[in-house]
Amino acid sequence: MKTTGFIFALFLLLGVAYSLVVPAFETPDEPFHYAFARHIAQGNGLPVQDPRSPGPWAQEGSQAPLYYLITGAATAPIDQSDFEAIAIPNPRANIGDPLYPGNKNFMLHSGRWRALTGANLALHVGRWLSLLMGALTLWCLYRLATLTFAHNKTLALGATALAALIPQFLFLSASFSNDNAVIAASAFTLFWLARLLVKAEKEPIRRREWVVLGVALGAAALSKLQGLGLIPLSGLVALFLAWRRRTPRLALEALLFTGLPALLIAGWWYARNIALYGDWSGLSHLMEINGRRQEPLTWKNFWPEFDGLRYSAWGVFGWFNILLPDWFYRTMDVVTVIGLSGAALATVASLRNAASHSSPFSPRLLLLLWLWLGMMAVLLLYWTLQATGSQGRLLFPALPSVAILLVVGIEFWLRWLPALWRRPPLIGVTGVLGAMSIYALGWLLPNAYYAPPPVTTIDARATQLDVRYGDEERLRLLALRLDAERVRVGESLPVTLYLQTTAPLEQDYQLFLQLLDENGVEIANLTTHPGWGRNPTTFWTPGAIYADAYLLRVTRRIDSWAPLAARLYVGFIDPATEAEGTYLPLPAYNSAGEEITPFIGVVTVEPPTAPELSLPAEEVGSEFGGVIRLDQVAVQWKDETRTLIVELLWEALGQPATDYTAFVHVVDAKGERVGGYDQAPAGDRFPTHRWRAGDRVLSRFEIALPDSLSAGDYEVWVGLYESASAGALRLPVTSAGLVLAGDGQVRVATFAPE
């Protein structure tokens, strides 16, 4: 009894901690569940669903109402008028993408600790009622396990502890969600059916026992549509008992004394659906609001959803966007395979030994557990065919089946070991689950929601800045740290901004970071509230310095002819323009009060492939200053347009000291220049001072020659000079390669226009 009490106490302790650590409305659909119950608490009837105007409860207004009636009644005395004030959505919330590193908070102000008053108190009262429903689920599971294991208390405790410490079950049990009602009702119904199945055949089944079953079925059916699955399960059990006892009248008694209370408890709601919507289930309106699957479910798209199902059965937090370590899911995959395969073999063995009563497990109850688990899987598959987003919580009405069968399977595989050695594997699995539950509670969830504290100093590696935003210049960018000089398309640039305000801020300003190419075209963008959603500007303390770290992902492909010196633009959105949908930036100023464009850094974006000449090329191999080599050249004369096209492929041998301009000169037989073109090898895209060894750049020159150009032989000479010298300081030719060189240039081609 002490061990049982410890398990329940630990579950309740961790559950209360989860309810307090997870901010308001940060569990899936919680604001919609809460809005439904609040509507009831305010003295209103059940919501009437209208897809054109769903109301604050959204699709949840179509759900069976038992949970909302209970929580609404419990929270009715609480003044909840501040609901809209605290339920401010995060416009950049990351929903359903656990790999995206920020904006885990569905609500903008989740990082602010709130007193247990008003709507927040009502929410937590609902969460604690959910937790009590979770405890009821565990009590039913324990009682069911003692029947399944022929009163082997150790294994029953193991199954109960395993379920109690599943991180996802703790998270869900501490949330305001109707799932908790149907899970508890299902667990009780399953326990009650097991109780009927193990009764001695000479012991009569009293009518009040069928009535209790009917009440449980009614509660399940009024909790969620999943609860209807218990009706055929109960019918099969009743038919089996009538057949086994050779008493056909028993089936009729079961139908009458079970069906009548179930119908009285839940039937009115289904009749209401028919009257209002012409749909007994209400699913048509729920799906219209929530969204139907747009593409049919195929094997190709089934497996990614199955991965989400597996993960979220053990622990995916927030709005399906916070993951536990990957090794944990792999470990639980192994446990699941070992446990369920062993349970299947144990079931077969129990059925074979049923006559001799030598099995350590009740074969009837094993079949009951498998049947209910299978029915839940079928119902989940049906839902998945209608809508996207399979989640593990949808299997939790079968949690007693899963927990008990896993313990049965583990015990089956270890049955040949001494009894003392069989316990460590089960203890180990339970320990891993408990450790992950505590890890999520103590580290993972707080770091996902709560703002990091201010820093006392700016990192010495950061570049000092003084950019001020807004007409009052209260928002300030003090410094920037870039933790990578180069990135590729698809990679992320680590950026740390050091931000400050000089006075309290009344508005929550959105921050944006962009990487722009030479034409101002965006190749990367991140728009968020500071702290990657966790630290809105109204949280800021004047004078405090906030180190804001981001990963800015480069998403737009760039051309391969040269790397790109992308400019980092950092700004704040003017809140006055958000309502208009224009999202214009606040003006930015330097320390002298001059308005500027806040380009605060540069990073090199490498192209996906090496550049290639489009014309037939010749090898050159000439080196300039020992730091830049001209590898290849292609020249084409177009007589019809009197245009000379020159393509040059450069490669950096080291880091150039400054910016250089390339020139292409066309000279006649007398050595006089008749045409030419000067430009940086990569134009404004990639100045040479940013080149590093191995960089390759393709330059293209189109030189229009005069129509009066006489026929004859002409030469094309190429070189480089310091851009600031206007051509006076040429980079010397340190290796001519395969061509003629002289005076800081090389001859790369000759041609003879007609």
Side-chain angles (χ1 to χ4, degrees):
M1 204 55 198
K2 290 183 179 180
T3 306
T4 310
F6 174 77
I7 293 172
F8 279 84
L10 181 60
F11 171 78
L12 291 172
L13 178 64
L14 290 175
V16 170
Y18 267 90
S19 76
L20 296 174
V21 169
V22 177
F25 310 119
E26 290 297 349
T27 68
D29 298 329
E30 193 170 51
F32 314 136
H33 292 299
Y34 170 81
F36 190 162
R38 178 174 178 260
H39 184 73
I40 300 295
Q42 291 173 332
N44 303 302
L46 298 180
V48 176
Q49 289 294 84
D50 181 358
R52 294 166 299 181
S53 180
W57 41 78
Q59 75 278 359
E60 303 303 338
S62 299
Q63 296 274 20
L66 180 60
Y67 179 82
Y68 309 106
L69 293 171
I70 294 172
T71 52
T75 57
I78 301 172
D79 179 8
Q80 304 175 49
S81 58
D82 60 341
F83 170 48
E84 287 81 5
I86 69 172
I88 301 174
N90 175 8
R92 306 291 172 178
N94 157 29
I95 301 175
D97 185 0
L99 299 182
Y100 187 77
N103 280 294
K104 307 292 187 181
N105 49 312
F106 183 76
M107 292 295 169
L108 182 58
H109 293 154
S110 289
R112 174 175 285 143
W113 188 265
R114 296 188 181 277
L116 289 174
T117 59
N120 192 41
L121 174 60
L123 174 75
H124 280 79
V125 168
R127 286 182 172 184
W128 296 331
L129 285 171
S130 293
L131 192 59
L132 292 177
M133 294 177 188
L136 174 60
T137 298
L138 291 179
W139 180 83
C140 296
L141 191 157
Y142 174 70
R143 294 294 304 275
L144 175 58
T146 59
L147 298 176
T148 305
F149 295 118
H151 304 283
N152 184 325
K153 184 178 179 181
T154 301
L155 294 181
L157 288 172
T160 308
L162 187 150
L165 294 176
I166 293 174
Q168 191 71 33
F169 182 60
L170 273 167
F171 176 71
L172 181 63
S173 296
S175 70
F176 199 114
S177 171
N178 68 332
D179 284 302
N180 294 293
V182 73
I183 293 169
S186 298
F188 181 85
T189 304
L190 204 60
F191 155 64
W192 201 255
L193 290 173
R195 182 177 175 276
L196 296 176
L197 281 170
V198 299
K199 285 176 73 79
E201 293 180 6
K202 293 182 179 180
E203 185 180 355
I205 298 178
R206 296 177 174 83
R207 291 174 179 176
R208 64 172 177 267
E209 293 178 288
W210 293 120
V211 171
V212 171
L213 178 61
V215 171
L217 291 175
L222 198 60
S223 297
K224 202 169 183 178
L225 286 176
Q226 282 176 296
L228 293 175
L230 291 163
I231 295 176
L233 180 69
S234 300
L236 290 174
V237 170
L239 289 174
F240 172 79
L241 291 173
W243 168 78
R244 188 69 179 175
R245 292 166 177 256
R246 305 294 191 269
T247 311
R249 182 175 57 86
L250 190 64
L252 295 176
E253 286 186 357
L255 177 62
L256 177 62
F257 293 102
T258 298
L260 186 58
L263 192 63
L264 289 173
I265 291 172
W268 64 270
W269 183 74
Y270 294 93
R272 175 181 181 271
N273 285 342
I274 295 172
L276 286 176
Y277 315 124
D279 171 17
W280 66 270
S281 68
L283 271 179
S284 58
H285 279 63
L286 187 150
M287 296 297 296
E288 194 168 347
I289 297 169
N290 191 52
R292 295 181 181 274
R293 178 181 288 278
Q294 298 301 311
E295 298 180 359
L297 184 65
T298 63
W299 279 110
K300 183 178 180 180
N301 56 26
F302 169 78
W303 288 110
E305 290 195 33
F306 181 68
D307 286 341
L309 175 67
R310 289 168 38 236
Y311 282 30
S312 61
W314 297 111
V316 177
F317 307 107
W319 284 70
F320 214 66
N321 57 13
I322 303 173
L323 287 175
L324 290 164
D326 186 63
W327 65 262
F328 168 70
Y329 301 109
R330 297 183 184 279
T331 300
M332 297 317 298
D333 283 345
V334 173
V335 170
T336 302
V337 171
I338 291 175
L340 293 186
S341 63
L345 294 175
T347 303
V348 173
S350 294
L351 291 172
R352 288 177 177 173
N353 299 327
S356 62
H357 302 285
S358 60
S359 173
F361 315 117
S362 168
R364 292 184 184 182
L365 298 192
L366 290 181
L367 286 176
L368 176 69
L369 297 175
W370 278 114
L371 188 58
W372 179 230
L373 179 58
M375 293 176 71
M376 278 293 95
V378 170
L379 289 174
L380 177 59
L381 178 61
Y382 172 77
W383 170 255
T384 305
L385 291 171
Q386 308 300 314
T388 56
S390 302
Q391 296 186 27
R393 63 184 172 85
L394 299 178
L395 280 174
F396 277 7
L399 179 63
S401 294
V402 174
I404 294 172
L405 289 174
L406 286 178
V407 172
V408 167
I410 293 172
E411 182 72 8
F412 176 82
W413 290 117
L414 300 177
R415 67 190 186 282
W416 50 273
L417 293 176
L420 186 62
W421 292 10
R422 299 178 198 170
R423 301 290 82 87
L426 183 56
I427 294 172
V429 170
T430 306
V432 168
L433 291 170
M436 287 296 98
S437 295
I438 295 171
Y439 162 75
L441 182 63
W443 191 90
L444 191 63
L445 293 172
N447 279 277
Y449 294 121
Y450 296 106
V455 297
T456 55
T457 59
I458 295 175
D459 193 301
R461 295 168 293 174
T463 302
Q464 298 294 321
L465 303 167
D466 190 0
V467 183
R468 306 170 183 192
Y469 297 92
D471 293 333
E472 297 180 0
E473 301 184 22
R474 289 186 294 176
L475 279 167
R476 297 194 175 183
L477 174 56
L478 304 180
L480 164 73
R481 194 181 83 214
L482 296 178
D483 290 338
E485 183 181 316
R486 293 178 166 236
V487 292
R488 293 182 178 273
V489 175
E491 295 179 344
S492 295
L493 171 67
V495 179
T496 302
L497 309 174
Y498 291 86
L499 301 167
Q500 186 185 65
T501 182
T502 58
L505 298 170
E506 296 79 29
Q507 299 193 72
D508 291 310
Y509 294 92
Q510 291 195 64
L511 170 72
F512 66 90
L513 300 84
Q514 296 176 333
L515 284 179
L516 306 176
D517 68 10
E518 72 276 20
N519 299 314
V521 176
E522 173 189 301
I523 65 167
N525 176 69
L526 173 63
T527 304
T528 178
H529 285 275
W532 225 330
R534 297 176 298 163
N535 193 24
T537 54
T538 53
F539 287 19
W540 292 10
T541 301
I545 300 173
Y546 297 95
D548 234 7
Y550 297 99
L551 293 173
L552 183 56
R553 186 175 179 83
V554 181
T555 55
R556 183 175 174 271
R557 290 179 64 87
I558 64 172
D559 296 329
S560 295
W561 64 273
L564 167 65
R567 297 168 295 169
L568 177 62
Y569 185 119
V570 175
F572 288 88
I573 294 174
D574 184 349
T577 68
E578 289 188 44
E580 305 167 2
T582 53
Y583 298 99
L584 299 177
L586 288 172
Y589 305 93
N590 61 20
S591 58
E594 301 167 333
E595 188 167 357
I596 60 170
T597 301
F599 294 124
I600 63 167
V602 179
V603 64
T604 298
V605 181
E606 298 181 351
T609 58
E612 295 182 358
L613 281 71
S614 63
L615 303 173
E618 295 184 7
E619 298 294 328
V620 177
S622 298
E623 297 181 6
F624 295 87
V627 293
I628 297 177
R629 181 172 62 221
L630 179 59
D631 280 342
Q632 295 178 5
V633 64
V635 177
Q636 184 181 68
W637 168 253
K638 292 188 174 182
D639 193 58
E640 64 277 10
T641 59
R642 310 294 287 175
T643 301
L644 182 68
I645 299 176
V646 180
E647 292 184 342
L648 307 171
L649 183 60
W650 308 91
E651 181 173 352
L653 303 176
Q655 180 178 350
T658 185
D659 287 329
Y660 293 100
T661 298
F663 64 84
V664 176
H665 291 169
V666 180
V667 299
D668 60 16
K670 298 178 181 179
E672 295 181 359
R673 179 177 172 180
V674 297
Y677 198 89
D678 292 24
Q679 71 176 30
D684 295 330
R685 177 189 179 94
F686 193 45
T688 58
H689 77 271
R690 296 198 62 84
W691 291 20
R692 300 295 182 267
D695 284 338
R696 295 167 71 83
V697 171
L698 176 61
S699 303
R700 182 181 175 90
F701 296 79
E702 294 189 9
I703 304 170
L705 297 178
D707 293 339
S708 60
L709 190 70
S710 60
D713 294 329
Y714 294 86
E715 297 178 344
V716 181
W717 290 78
V718 173
L720 294 163
Y721 62 83
E722 291 187 16
S723 300
S725 73
L729 298 176
R730 290 184 176 180
L731 197 59
V733 179
T734 51
S735 175
L738 304 177
V739 299
L740 180 64
D743 190 24
Q745 60 183 344
V746 294
R747 188 183 71 188
V748 296
T750 60
F751 68 103
E754 298 179 358

